Amino acid sequence: MAQGPHRLPTDTDNGLLLIISGPSGAGKTTITRGVERSIADSVFSVSCTTRAKTDADTEGVDYHFIDDATFEAMKSRGEFFETAGVYGKKYGTPKAPVLEHLRRGRLVILEIDVQGAVQIKQHVPDAFAIFILPPTEEELLRRLRDRKRESTEQITKRFNAAKAEIESAKASGVYNVFIVNDAIDAAIKRACDLVQGERTRRAGK
Ligand code: 5GP
């Protein structure tokens, strides 16, 4: 961890790579941002994507929106920690900022899908991975509809993809814990408690 002459006063030896995954509509983004707000030294890793920016997105905050050629050039230079294809679009976690924040002992949060989590766990086996589950399938469908972000056809596609993602998450063996999001504040608190508990446990080793 952080050592030597470049150590900053804010550096710690308590860095943790946190993966948060879950299907669309499970509340993953709200929980991720809740954890980021609640834990002082946390940093959200801003992914690159080739998908179109929506009105809900802010460039540089939610994603770096880039074109396919830029994505492929970055990939060929080895600048991604992991990459994945989701709904025909490309997503990738930039490697350098994640490694720098971890070196400084921070909590680095990756909001990525199961394909990405599997790759990260291969590089960083002690990453802590949380998967967010909706309370029921009916509730998931209701939430996807309530977002009013997509057409009925797209909602059905996301619903089926969500069910498949839950199955592959369970089969992957990479998740340390599954959190059922039936009440958002309780789910954020549970995620924070688990993360802080994990850091305390590791620091005591
Ligand atoms: P959305 O387009 O709805 O923001 O994200 C679609 C899916 O891609 C979500 O499951 C999200 O967690 C995942 N995702 C976002 N960024 C990355 C990334 O950098 N890598 C991977 N593997 N998945 C990502």
Side-chain angles (χ1 to χ4, degrees):
M1 277 300 147
Q3 275 161 2
H6 303 300
R7 192 177 169 108
L8 299 173
T10 48
D11 289 356
T12 77
D13 294 321
N14 214 4
L16 182 69
L17 188 55
L18 172 65
I19 298 168
I20 300 184
S21 307
S24 351
K28 168 190 48 176
T29 304
T30 313
I31 292 171
T32 302
R33 293 303 187 175
V35 171
E36 188 193 8
R37 261 198 319 276
S38 307
I39 299 182
D41 72 341
S42 62
V43 203
F44 177 77
S45 159
V46 181
S47 295
C48 294
T49 183
T50 63
R51 84 148 162 79
K53 183 180 167 302
T54 69
D55 290 343
D57 298 310
T58 305
E59 161 63 36
V61 175
D62 298 297
Y63 287 103
H64 300 292
F65 293 93
I66 61 177
D67 61 21
D68 204 76
T70 308
F71 191 98
E72 287 305 320
M74 288 178 72
K75 190 172 174 180
S76 68
R77 291 195 299 264
E79 290 175 19
F80 289 124
F81 220 156
E82 59 76 38
T83 58
V86 184
Y87 308 117
K89 299 294 174 187
K90 295 169 186 173
Y91 293 79
T93 302
K95 197 191 285 176
V98 170
L99 293 179
E100 172 62 10
H101 288 305
L102 277 181
R103 200 176 69 77
R104 300 218 168 275
R106 302 201 177 114
L107 177 75
V108 184
I109 309 172
L110 309 185
E111 189 195 313
I112 60 175
D113 76 339
V114 179
Q115 308 168 65
V118 170
Q119 294 169 60
I120 293 288
K121 276 273 190 161
Q122 281 164 1
H123 297 295
V124 187
D126 65 357
F128 189 72
I130 296 176
F131 193 88
I132 308 296
L133 288 170
T136 60
E137 285 186 4
E138 293 72 35
E139 176 62 15
L140 174 66
L141 188 55
R142 195 185 64 74
R143 289 182 194 172
L144 286 172
R145 287 190 178 131
D146 283 356
R147 297 200 303 187
K148 296 189 174 65
R149 249 169 55 170
E150 293 129 343
S151 65
T152 310
E153 189 196 332
Q154 277 175 319
I155 289 170
T156 307
K157 223 165 118 185
R158 288 221 177 220
F159 181 58
N160 289 330
K163 287 193 284 186
E165 176 143 38
I166 292 169
E167 288 317 308
S168 72
K170 288 180 177 164
S172 71
V174 304
Y175 292 94
N176 298 79
V177 57
F178 288 79
I179 296 179
V180 178
N181 176 22
D182 39 23
I184 192 69
D185 291 341
I188 293 170
K189 183 167 185 313
R190 172 122 182 81
C192 290
D193 289 350
L194 282 163
V195 166
Q196 297 295 49
E198 187 65 18
R199 293 176 99 184
T200 306
R201 196 179 64 76
R202 292 185 189 192
K205 272 193 174 166

